């Protein structure tokens, strides 16, 4: 009877489903027209507007198909018919898969092909994206629709969920626990927990509603499970980092890594001179830091730094400066901090301790950046091509990849200076899913540079090994000795 | 066929049912009557497992009402005033949709005959039907599989007299051996159909009885006096809805017995010249009992 109910729903809701599919296809067509570089901002704006419309229409289809046979209340005709509620639920899921997911999947495959990906790769990427959308958005929406009878009730429920999530986030910020205050790229814990909470809440609520038709209990269970998921916002970042350490791909890989203050590296030089040759006053201070015990090909990403400075008079100043970029095994630790409230004593000796929250990454591949117009396939980034920007002197290397993004998509580009800007956009382990409307299907990565540099640049990709904390103790240092060196 | 024992239903602080018990015999046409808010719809929803009782138990077709499954629903036809049918489907499309759920039990000839008898269009969307036509269509959907039990919750509300006639005629002709439970205010229309009556007031069953016994037990008594009629200060409890007008005193005797009526009346009322008794219609019985219940609770009817 599942197929029979599905056909009835299709008869009732095909127009709305067609509108949702058309909007999705228009959105995808605009995305293809934009290309990887997305230089036409007018089209980009239009694409985002259509995307919102397509998302709303898809949500409306899900709600409408559930409300065709509303579960709460006592007035629906189907409740007095010999229809198994399990069949009804499966028919609704089938409808979402066929009438919402398949048109989107077709569009996503077309998008992948238009971007030069192979059919199999595009299909796998589209399937992944469809699965993520089903788990993270459509399943919760099915549950909310099954617990409500009107659009107004849906809006109230969604607003209530948003209020819970935002309220908990605000509470975390108030207490200084927010993951945003912690080492970078911890946000995935919050996102994954929220999404897992949503999905589990949906499973529980759908189970209660279609098994026992107990709307109050289903609503309570949905709210409770969702709130537990959303409560991850209250997780202090220190605890989140500890969790991240536990799920690191190679826990303990950084066991032998030590950080030391190494005056032999000399002063950092030249980077902070203005165009007229002047240097900002007071001149920036950089402490030379060296990493020992790094295996060949490994390097470090500093996620968070906390500096404690103790003056001779016993006064203590705590700074949270910007984490440094490690060039192979060395880095210059800036003491610039947005939260500075007192000038740093520069001519008196101070005791400095630096705490680092770090990620150990391993180089996996090196790829030359092609000249403008050329393309290259990079294992973790997908198909990459270099394009000259339509305005300005810059060129861009944009990559497109179907399927889930790498757990840590590290892009590193060697610059003329020899320094490297290593960054992880996310440390989410591969078993964690983060639903996204689009970017999971085609992951786009862009890096801008001067076209003339193309032949001199290369892309290195890394994989995460371990997350760890290190402590650097500098018993006696005069900061004026480590002001930036100026080379005119 | 249906048995309910001590049903209690609370909506937060409001108690809609206060220990309702009822028994619908196999093959009967049972009318659940009562004033607005008496608890009729709540009771029917509990019996049909559309709502859960706070306390008490009920069995329908021999199974606990909370465990009614598609197997029982194959044998239950249900029509309610507030029933929501899929507005976007035509009548024919909805019948096509329903048929497979009942398998061999669905009688296509009966369906065709009912559609013709009720003068229902096959291609019009349900959402475009008038309320009356929708109710008739709901009845077709409830009768076409020849249910063992037919439950009708206020099916005649808001219908014009012509539609009511068509509805009741269709029901009377096609119900056959079906046991019927219906709630309604329209006593005149249902009187010819029902065999049993349950009178519900303020969430309780005041009485339930076969129509034959009820018709014999209730009488409108009209006493003509030699002087101006005055309501006696003391009267038997079974005399209800007592009224005085001119030299005539009328009341409803709820325990009517032909023998000894004169003596009993004269023992209470002086100056009796004449006593007339008339059988009562269901509507009049309902009105008298509802007035008595309202007087007892101090509310207005």
């Amino acid at each position: 009877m599942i197929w029979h109910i599905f056909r009835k729903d299709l008869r009732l809701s095909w127009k709305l489903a067609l509108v949702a599919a058309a909007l999705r296809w228009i959105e995808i067509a605009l995305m293809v027209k934009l290309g990887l570089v997305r230089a036409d901002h007018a089209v980009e704006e239009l694409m985002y507007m259509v995307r919102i419309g397509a998302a709303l229409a898809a949500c409306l289809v899900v709600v409408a198909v559930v409300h065709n046979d509303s579960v709460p209340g006592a007035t629906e005709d189907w409740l007095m018919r010999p229809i198994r509620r399990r069949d009804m639920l499966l028919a609704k899921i089938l409808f979402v898969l066929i009438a919402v997911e398949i048109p989107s999947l077709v569009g996503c495959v077309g998008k992948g092909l238009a971007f030069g990906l192979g059919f199999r790769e595009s299909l796998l990427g589209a399937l992944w994206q469809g699965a993520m959308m089903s788990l993270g958005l459509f399943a919760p929406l099915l549950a909310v629709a099954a617990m409500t009878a009107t659009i107004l009730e849906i809006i109230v429920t969604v607003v209530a969920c948003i209020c819970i999530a935002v309220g908990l986030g605000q509470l975390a910020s108030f207490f200084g626990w927010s993951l945003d205050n912690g080492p970078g790229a911890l946000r995935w814990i919050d996102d994954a927990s929220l999404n897992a909470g949503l999905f589990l809440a949906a499973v529980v609520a759908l189970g209660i509603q279609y098994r026992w038709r107990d709307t109050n209990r289903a609503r309570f269970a949905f709210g409770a499970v969702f709130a537990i998921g959303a409560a991850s916002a209250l997780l202090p970042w220190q605890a989140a980092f500890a969790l991240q350490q536990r799920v690191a791909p190679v826990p303990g890989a950084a066991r032998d890594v030590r950080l030391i203050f190494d005056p032999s590296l000399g002063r950092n030089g030249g980077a902070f001179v203005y165009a007229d040759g002047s240097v900002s006053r007071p001149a920036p201070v950089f402490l030379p830091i060296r990493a020992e015990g790094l295996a060949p090909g490994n390097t470090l990403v500093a996620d968070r730094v906390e500096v404690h400075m103790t003056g001779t008079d016993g006064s203590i100043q705590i700074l949270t400066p910007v984490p440094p970029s490690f060039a192979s095994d060395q880095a210059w630790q800036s003491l610039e901090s947005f939260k500075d409230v007192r000038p740093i004593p520069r001519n008196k000796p101070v005791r400095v301790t630096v705490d680092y929250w770090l990620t150990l990454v391993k180089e996996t591949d090196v790829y030359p950046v092609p000249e403008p117009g050329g393309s290259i396939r990079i294992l973790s980034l997908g198909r990459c091509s270099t394009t000259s920007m339509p305005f300005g002197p810059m060129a861009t290397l944009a990559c497109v990849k179907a399927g889930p993004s790498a757990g840590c998509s590290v892009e590193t580009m060697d610059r003329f200076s020899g320094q490297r800007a290593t960054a992880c956009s996310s440390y989410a382990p591969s078993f964690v899913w983060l639903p996204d409307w689009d970017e999971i299907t085609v992951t786009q990565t862009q890096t801008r540079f001067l076209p003339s540099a193309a032949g001199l640049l290369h892309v290195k990709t890394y994989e995460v090994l371990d997350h760890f904390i290190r402590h650097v103790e500098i018993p006696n240092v005069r900061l004026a000795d480590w002001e930036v060196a100026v080379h005119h | 066929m249906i048995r309910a024992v001590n049903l209690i239903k609370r909506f937060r602080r409001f108690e809609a049912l206060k220990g309702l018990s009822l028994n619908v015999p196999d093959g009967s046409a049972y009318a659940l009557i009562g004033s607005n808010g008496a608890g009729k719809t709540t009771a029917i929803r509990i019996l049909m497992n559309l709502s859960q009782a706070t306390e008490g138990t009920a069995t329908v077709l021999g199974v606990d009402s909370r465990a009614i499954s598609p197997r029982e629903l194959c044998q239950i036809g249900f029509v309610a005033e507030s029933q929501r049918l899929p507005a976007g489907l035509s009548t024919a499309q909805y019948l096509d949709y329903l048929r497979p759920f009942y398998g061999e039990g669905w009688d296509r000839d009966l369906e065709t005959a009912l559609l013709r008898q009720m003068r229902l269009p096959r291609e019009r969307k349900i959402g475009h039907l008038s309320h009356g036509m929708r109710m008739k269509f709901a009845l077709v959907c409830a009768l076409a599989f020849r249910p063992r039990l037919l439950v009708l919750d206020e099916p005649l509300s808001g219908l014009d007299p012509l539609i009511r006639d068509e509805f009741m005629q269709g029901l009377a002709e096609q119900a056959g051996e079906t046991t019927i439970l219906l709630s309604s205010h329209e006593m005149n229309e249902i009187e010819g159909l029902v065999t049993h009556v349950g009178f519900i007031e303020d969430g309780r069953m005041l009485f339930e009885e076969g129509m034959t016994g009820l018709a014999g037990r209730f009488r409108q008594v009209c006493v003509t006096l030699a002087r101006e009629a005055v309501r006696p200060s003391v009267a038997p409890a079974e005399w209800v809805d007592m009224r005085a007008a001119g030299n005539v005193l009328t009341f409803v005797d709820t325990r009517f017995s032909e023998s000894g009526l004169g003596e009993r009346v004269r023992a209470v009322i002086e100056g009796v010249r004449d006593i007339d008794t008339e059988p009562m219609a269901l509507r009049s019985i309902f009105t008298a009992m509802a007035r008595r219940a309202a007087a007892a609770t101090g509310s207005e009817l």
Side-chain angles (χ1 to χ4, degrees), chain A residues 191-343:
Chain A
D191 290 347
S193 174
L194 189 69
N195 285 305
L198 257 179
F199 177 65
L200 286 176
V203 171
V204 171
L206 285 170
I208 292 173
Q209 259 317 58
Y210 282 93
R211 175 73 179 81
W212 292 288
R213 224 173 61 76
D214 189 336
T215 303
N216 286 338
R217 199 190 298 174
R219 285 176 180 170
F220 177 78
F222 184 88
V225 178
F226 171 71
I228 290 169
S232 62
L234 297 175
L235 189 71
W237 64 261
Q238 294 87 341
F241 187 81
L243 176 68
Q244 181 153 276
Q245 283 182 291
R246 289 182 71 91
V247 298
V250 190
R255 196 179 299 114
D256 299 332
V257 176
R258 286 192 314 124
L259 294 188
I260 57 166
F261 171 66
D262 185 358
S264 70
L265 291 175
R267 289 197 290 170
N268 190 16
F272 289 83
V273 181
Y274 294 134
D276 64 357
S278 65
V279 179
S280 64
R281 288 292 166 196
V285 173
F286 290 90
L287 301 176
I289 304 292
R290 181 189 293 280
E292 293 182 340
L294 280 175
N298 288 4
T299 190
L300 298 175
V301 179
D303 296 316
R304 179 186 164 89
V305 182
E306 208 169 280
V307 177
H308 293 239
M309 288 194 296
T310 310
T312 48
D313 57 353
S315 63
I316 298 174
Q317 193 163 353
I318 301 171
L319 308 172
T320 50
V322 178
S325 293
F326 275 86
S328 67
D329 61 349
Q330 51 193 256
W332 273 267
Q333 177 60 58
S334 162
L335 296 183
E336 296 287 313
S337 170
F338 292 115
K339 291 183 180 173
D340 282 353
V341 287
R342 288 178 291 162

Side-chain angles (χ1 to χ4, degrees), chain B residues 56-105:
Chain B
T57 57
T59 55
V60 176
L61 295 169
V63 303
D64 189 319
S65 66
R66 290 165 298 187
I68 289 178
S69 68
R71 191 174 7 171
E72 285 75 39
L73 290 172
C74 271
Q75 306 171 67
I76 300 174
F78 182 77
V79 178
E81 180 201 8
S82 54
Q83 200 162 349
R84 273 195 62 209
L85 299 164
L89 294 182
S90 70
T91 53
Q93 284 171 339
Y94 194 51
L95 289 167
D96 289 343
Y97 172 65
L98 289 181
R99 230 173 272 130
F101 292 110
Y102 295 91
E104 297 295 311

Side-chain angles (χ1 to χ4, degrees), chain A residues 369-375 385-389 394-396 449-455:
Chain A
V369 172
E371 299 289 336
S375 68
S385 54
T386 307
T387 313
S388 295
M389 299 295 283
M394 305 300 276
T396 184
F449 54 91
L450 286 165
S452 56

Side-chain angles (χ1 to χ4, degrees), chain B residues 3-18:
Chain B
R3 180 182 290 275
V5 180
N6 202 25
L7 290 180
I8 293 174
K9 177 67 178 179
R10 291 190 199 97
F11 296 102
R12 298 193 178 165
R13 289 182 182 177
F14 174 66
E15 201 166 47
L17 296 183
K18 300 172 179 173

Side-chain angles (χ1 to χ4, degrees), chain B residues 218-289:
Chain B
F218 278 80
R219 279 292 185 281
Q220 178 82 42
V221 179
C222 182
V223 182
T224 307
L225 303 173
R227 53 172 175 74
E228 183 83 3
V230 179
R231 291 171 61 178
S233 54
V234 179
E238 61 266 26
W239 294 1
V240 301
D241 200 19
M242 191 169 283
R243 291 153 188 265
N247 63 339
V248 175
L249 190 69
T250 59
F251 62 88
V252 174
D253 188 353
T254 61
R255 293 267 180 269
F256 175 72
S257 168
E258 191 72 57
S259 63
L261 177 67
E263 286 76 14
R264 279 187 285 126
V265 170
R266 287 188 177 86
V268 177
I269 305 165
E270 291 179 2
V272 175
R273 267 185 21 205
D274 189 29
I275 300 171
D276 273 339
T277 61
E278 282 180 28
M280 292 178 70
L282 184 58
R283 179 192 174 85
S284 304
I285 295 172
F286 166 73
T287 309
M289 294 307 293

Side-chain angles (χ1 to χ4, degrees), chain A residues 450-461:
Chain A
L450 286 165
S452 56
L456 303 171
L457 302 173
H458 55 273
V459 173
K460 288 188 177 180
T461 59

